[in-house]
Amino acid sequence: MKKINVFCVLVLALMLIDLVVDLFFATSDRTMVLNLENESLGSLLFILFVALLALGAVVVAIFSFVKFILNVNRNEVFTERNIKQIRKYGYSALVCGVCIMYLTFFFGEGFWNAVLDGVDALGEGFFALLMAEIFCIGKSR
């Protein structure tokens, strides 16, 4: 069981390192110019709502993953509590992916750039939901 615990901590550490590298050290040829002068107040409020929704989804995903790791450390692997945590993580990743796609598209990066920016989070969300179903099958046996 200790190998699983080390693996979970390693995955969490790699997720955080990836986040820090993406936020602070990523070099990109793309530059984003925000021209919000012609936007209506409703549009700006919706953009703010989507950005806050994405931030909330990231926070929920991190806390769900940490709770999942803590449950595994207590030798509670195939439990209803873990299935709920993995599903919460999956849905949060899906919401975050959709928000990233919308914001990237709105700020003029184009459709394909928006898809490429959000596909990582969407894939992670679908994979987490698949893992939740696998855990559900494992719990019933």
Side-chain angles (χ1 to χ4, degrees):
M1 191 55 88
K2 291 294 180 185
K3 290 181 183 179
I4 292 176
N5 297 340
V6 171
F7 178 71
C8 289
V9 171
L10 180 66
V11 168
L12 182 61
L14 290 174
M15 285 173 48
L16 292 175
I17 289 170
D18 180 51
L19 178 67
V20 169
V21 168
D22 282 347
L23 286 177
F24 297 111
F25 300 110
T27 58
S28 176
D29 293 340
R30 297 186 310 177
T31 57
M32 187 178 294
V33 177
L34 300 179
N35 186 7
L36 301 176
E37 294 172 357
N38 297 328
E39 297 298 326
S40 66
L41 179 62
S43 178
L44 292 175
L45 289 176
F46 186 72
I47 293 168
L48 178 65
F49 171 75
V50 171
L52 290 175
L53 183 65
L55 180 64
V58 168
V59 169
V60 168
I62 289 172
F63 279 117
S64 298
F65 191 76
V66 169
K67 285 181 180 182
F68 170 74
I69 291 174
L70 293 176
N71 288 339
V72 170
N73 283 336
R74 289 187 218 113
N75 292 328
E76 299 174 12
V77 181
F78 296 105
T79 62
E80 189 65 34
R81 195 181 323 168
N82 267 355
I83 294 169
K84 287 181 183 178
Q85 294 304 327
I86 296 172
R87 283 185 179 147
K88 193 184 301 185
Y89 175 81
Y91 289 129
S92 297
L94 289 176
V95 167
C96 187
V98 169
C99 291
I100 288 171
M101 290 172 106
Y102 174 77
L103 291 173
T104 304
F105 182 73
F106 178 81
F107 287 120
E109 295 295 315
F111 175 76
W112 291 112
N113 285 333
V115 170
L116 291 175
D117 285 349
V119 78
D120 287 340
L122 290 175
E124 196 172 316
F126 285 125
F127 182 74
L129 292 174
L130 175 68
M131 293 305 296
E133 293 307 311
I134 291 170
F135 269 59
C136 191
I137 292 170
K139 178 186 161 245
S140 66
R141 292 189 181 220

